[in-house]
Amino acid sequence: MLDQSKKDQTSGLPANAMHFAEPGVPIIRGVNWAGFLALYWKEVRRFVKVQLQTIWAPSITTLLFLIIFTVAMGRGDRTVLGVPFADFIAPGLICMGMLQNAFANSSFSMLVGKIQGTIIDYLTPPLSVGELLAALVTSSMTRAILVGFAVWLAMFIWPGVNVDIVHGWAVLWFGFMGAAMLSLLGVLTSIWAEKFDHAAAVSNFVVAPLALLSGTFYSIDRLSPVFQAVSHVNPFFYAISGFRYGFLGVADSPIIVGALVLLAINIGLATLCYFLLKSGWKIKS
């Protein structure tokens, strides 16, 4: 007993920790950064391997929206919020592409594991619930950022569109908060869904309508009071309005209010996802 006590003291670890640790097995203290990064890079490599479908195709689709709407509605003398119509819709299209791809990535991660029977790969590694959730969310945000940068770069070189950044902090905050919100919503969807049809239903009947009715293609000042009130309930509206403020310096909603609303929504979604993952609802048999 005396020799064991000395061994525990020289190792610098509590005696009870040494009693439960097997020889040669490392004890993880604090955040398991190695495990977190392993899962993060695994998720990133998954969509990078098919980047033509996951990054470049959404970027081209978003650019086509800009071309179609500027040709159909963007007459040279038309302005919205005091700026040319093309400059008005460009930031909203960038943000909308980021939001939709963040959801698409995170809603696929665990769902495919549940369907293919490989969900155990997410549950057995020595990762805490917070580390698992953080890896899934940050990898989806990475895809959103890559898509957003690709769209911005295409619009930057496209003639007749100005996407110069005025307030960098707003672009970063609302871009990250919006991507995090949809990433968390995607994780929540992948926890609840049991087949791809369920995830597609959320994408088609929740994400797509909210994105299209978020003020991306119009200013809510031109809507009736009833529809203005409806727009203020849509969280996508705050993400796109704040993101647009970073490029134009003007917005059709209070920036601070939008920033706080997105922060509160993300905290609520993260808390809900955490407790659902911890309970194993629809994940553990």
Side-chain angles (χ1 to χ4, degrees):
M1 294 296 293
L2 181 61
D3 293 339
Q4 179 65 32
S5 177
K6 290 181 179 179
K7 187 181 294 184
D8 294 346
Q9 292 176 2
T10 57
S11 66
L13 295 175
N16 60 348
M18 292 296 296
H19 290 163
F20 291 102
E22 298 179 1
V25 178
I27 299 176
I28 300 174
R29 293 176 174 274
V31 179
N32 182 3
W33 290 109
F36 164 78
L37 291 175
L39 180 56
Y40 168 81
W41 286 115
K42 178 253 185 188
E43 292 295 316
V44 170
R45 286 195 296 268
R46 179 175 59 80
F47 70 76
V48 169
K49 286 182 179 179
V50 287
Q51 58 181 286
L52 188 64
Q53 173 186 352
T54 58
I55 298 176
W56 301 111
S59 303
I60 294 174
T61 301
T62 305
L63 185 62
L64 289 175
F65 270 111
L66 175 69
I67 297 173
I68 292 172
F69 274 87
T70 51
V71 169
M73 304 176 63
R75 300 186 301 272
D77 58 344
R78 178 167 184 173
T79 60
V80 182
L81 294 179
V83 298
F85 181 72
D87 297 350
F88 171 81
I89 67 171
L93 288 172
I94 297 174
C95 189
M96 186 176 71
M98 293 174 62
L99 301 182
Q100 291 178 331
N101 282 275
F103 175 83
N105 194 79
S106 60
S107 63
F108 182 83
S109 298
M110 286 194 301
L111 177 58
V112 70
K114 291 165 66 175
I115 294 176
Q116 295 180 352
T118 58
I119 189 65
I120 196 69
D121 294 339
Y122 293 95
L123 303 179
T124 54
L127 290 172
S128 67
V129 175
E131 292 162 354
L132 172 62
L133 179 61
L136 295 174
V137 171
T138 53
S139 60
S140 298
M141 292 176 64
T142 301
R143 174 175 168 181
I145 293 170
L146 292 175
V147 171
F149 178 76
V151 176
W152 174 84
L153 186 61
M155 292 182 178
F156 182 78
I157 62 178
W158 192 262
V161 181
N162 181 17
V163 286
D164 293 337
I165 297 176
V166 177
H167 300 290
W169 70 267
V171 174
L172 293 176
W173 176 264
F174 288 96
F176 287 157
M177 286 293 101
M181 178 177 64
L182 268 296
S183 298
L184 289 166
L185 181 60
V187 172
L188 186 62
T189 300
S190 67
I191 295 173
W192 163 77
E194 298 178 354
K195 52 185 179 180
F196 290 121
D197 289 348
H198 293 164
V202 177
S203 178
N204 293 330
F205 298 110
V206 178
V207 175
L210 290 178
L212 294 175
L213 299 176
S214 60
T216 301
F217 306 103
Y218 54 86
S219 173
I220 66 169
D221 293 339
R222 302 187 177 187
L223 301 178
S224 65
V226 174
F227 284 101
Q228 287 187 27
V230 172
S231 297
H232 282 95
V233 180
N234 184 357
F236 285 54
F237 163 72
Y238 294 104
I240 290 176
S241 179
F243 193 80
R244 180 185 289 127
Y245 174 80
F247 288 88
L248 304 181
V250 294
D252 45 8
S253 68
I255 297 301
I256 300 300
V257 173
L260 294 177
V261 167
L262 291 179
L263 179 60
I265 291 175
N266 281 330
I267 292 174
L269 286 175
T271 303
L272 178 59
C273 290
Y274 178 88
F275 284 107
L276 288 179
L277 287 173
K278 188 174 182 179
S279 67
W281 182 66
K282 287 199 172 186
I283 295 178
K284 299 178 182 179
S285 57

